Amino acid sequence: MSDHDILNPKEMPHDPEKATLEGKNKFIGFWFFLGGETVLFASLFGTYLALRNSTNNGPSSEDLFGLGLVFIMTMLLLTSSLTSVYAMYHMKNNDFKKMQVWLGITVALGLAFLGCEIYEFYHYIHGYEFTFRSSAFGSAFYTLVGFHGGHVVFGLLWFIALMIRNAKRGLNLYNAPKYYIASLYWHFIDVVWVFIFTVVYLMGVL
Amino acid sequence: MTENNTTDQLDYHKQKKKEEMKQQVITFVLMIVFTIIAFAMVQSDLDALFVIPIILVLAAIQVGFQLYYFMHMSHKGHELPALMFYGGVFTAFLCIIALAVLVWW
């Protein structure tokens, strides 16, 4: 059997993302990376918690945050997490088209989230003159939330690249692990957002 | 005979995946409900010292759902990922405690 036949079996195994050694290695390695990402975000959360009252006479979190927009953003990201679960469900059933469609919906929801975040930052900068340099609170806020936004951008580019690159290939044992790991990354972005909306926004207006 | 067996197995696995998908939709609904509760509690006039611990617990439960159902940590073969991820969570905990102590001591 050639490599091509091995990667394109007639019947997909039940866990296509872990059927090859490369897939298994990616799976373990990626969880290792997520452990490291947790520590990275913890350092940013810790910094934010320490500096959130150092407003340097500028706007405070109570002046700035509007919960309506944050609620919409939370719903968008949470729903996009579910749609990527649907995409992985179709991957396991070896239904490539449906997987691509659900990933497309995930990307659309992610873009909507990103649009809200850009609007939010624009509003703070131009409406309140609250920038990265305004205060220690400003630096900590934009670093933490901006880093999360950067992860969203990276996750979106990752999904789009996978979808375009494999559009004509279809699903096989070579790219199944890639899709699976991109969706893990997307769920992790939602995990971080749950703590951002709780610690930054909800605790910020209390 | 073997032909029959494999189709039976395929059906069995398909059914299992379907059931899992159903669980994941239920998880999603619960997460939405928790989010709404957290936002509603903050909007109400309750005392901040009472609300903060509750919304933190709600966030932790949501993250647990995300990890165990959406990221499949409830499946077999996640011992090493769990070790690595919880190692990260432990370090994250130390990190936040250390920064908090530095500022508030």
Side-chain angles (χ1 to χ4, degrees):
Chain A
M1 262 207 297
S2 69
D3 276 1
H4 181 78
D5 294 328
I6 291 169
L7 292 174
N8 293 279
K10 284 199 186 73
E11 262 177 39
M12 274 286 189
H14 304 303
D15 287 321
E17 76 278 5
K18 279 177 277 186
T20 60
L21 180 63
E22 188 178 332
K24 279 186 192 124
N25 287 343
K26 278 186 174 152
F27 168 76
I28 298 279
F30 195 76
W31 273 99
F32 206 168
F33 166 74
L34 287 184
E37 286 266 283
T38 311
V39 182
L40 169 83
F41 274 104
S43 69
L44 298 176
F45 270 108
T47 313
Y48 176 81
L49 282 172
L51 298 174
R52 69 188 181 124
N53 294 320
S54 314
T55 54
N56 191 25
N57 294 326
S60 68
S61 53
E62 285 98 335
D63 304 329
L64 290 167
F65 298 157
L67 287 188
L69 185 68
V70 178
F71 186 74
I72 293 169
M73 287 164 79
T74 306
M75 288 301 146
L76 285 171
L77 210 59
L78 200 58
T79 312
S80 81
S81 215
L82 181 75
T83 57
S84 81
V85 168
Y86 269 109
M88 289 309 106
Y89 170 68
H90 290 302
M91 181 190 87
K92 293 204 174 186
N93 284 335
N94 200 11
D95 193 335
F96 180 68
K97 264 199 185 135
K98 278 188 183 160
M99 182 187 77
Q100 292 277 79
V101 169
W102 280 106
L103 283 181
I105 298 170
T106 308
V107 168
L109 288 166
L111 283 172
F113 173 86
L114 206 62
C116 290
E117 187 150 83
I118 291 169
Y119 164 77
E120 184 198 354
F121 284 4
Y122 182 87
H123 181 64
Y124 291 161
I125 292 168
H126 292 276
Y128 292 87
E129 296 195 347
F130 174 68
T131 68
F132 194 83
R133 293 189 294 169
S134 302
S135 58
F137 163 59
S139 307
F141 171 79
Y142 282 116
T143 309
L144 172 59
V145 182
F147 229 89
H148 176 266
H151 276 72
V152 173
V153 172
F154 188 81
L156 287 174
L157 292 177
W158 191 350
F159 273 144
I160 292 167
L162 277 179
M163 285 165 68
I164 293 174
R165 177 65 184 97
N166 297 306
K168 285 180 184 161
R169 273 178 170 169
L171 192 65
N172 58 34
L173 294 184
Y174 173 65
N175 56 28
K178 294 173 184 254
Y179 278 106
Y180 185 81
I181 279 162
S183 90
L184 279 186
Y185 185 76
W186 194 254
H187 292 309
F188 182 75
I189 290 173
D190 200 45
V191 164
V192 175
W193 180 255
V194 169
F195 280 110
I196 290 187
F197 88 69
T198 305
V199 172
V200 176
Y201 293 100
L202 291 183
M203 279 165 64
V205 296
L206 269 174
Chain B
M1 184 67 198
T2 37
E3 191 75 8
N4 230 338
N5 250 337
T6 43
T7 35
D8 277 358
Q9 261 184 350
L10 271 181
D11 282 348
Y12 167 73
H13 282 285
K14 215 169 185 172
Q15 195 60 34
K16 233 178 136 183
K17 282 177 228 162
K18 230 180 189 163
E19 272 165 30
E20 200 196 351
M21 196 60 238
K22 216 163 126 191
Q23 276 182 1
Q24 282 165 327
V25 174
I26 294 169
T27 310
F28 172 73
V29 172
L30 284 176
M31 283 161 79
I32 296 270
V33 170
F34 284 174
T35 308
I36 292 171
I37 292 173
F39 274 81
M41 282 189 81
V42 172
Q43 298 281 33
S44 68
D45 292 328
L46 292 166
D47 186 41
L49 281 178
F50 171 68
V51 173
I52 287 174
I54 292 180
I55 60 176
L56 284 176
V57 168
L58 287 177
I61 297 172
Q62 275 205 49
V63 165
F65 279 157
Q66 188 85 238
L67 286 170
Y68 279 88
Y69 292 98
F70 283 12
M71 292 166 88
H72 313 294
M73 256 171 82
S74 58
H75 287 193
K76 270 185 200 155
H78 279 71
E79 295 80 9
L80 219 48
L83 176 71
M84 286 161 180
F85 192 75
Y86 285 119
V89 169
F90 176 66
T91 317
F93 176 72
L94 289 183
C95 186
I96 288 176
I97 293 287
L99 282 164
V101 167
L102 271 176
V103 172
W104 286 320
W105 199 254

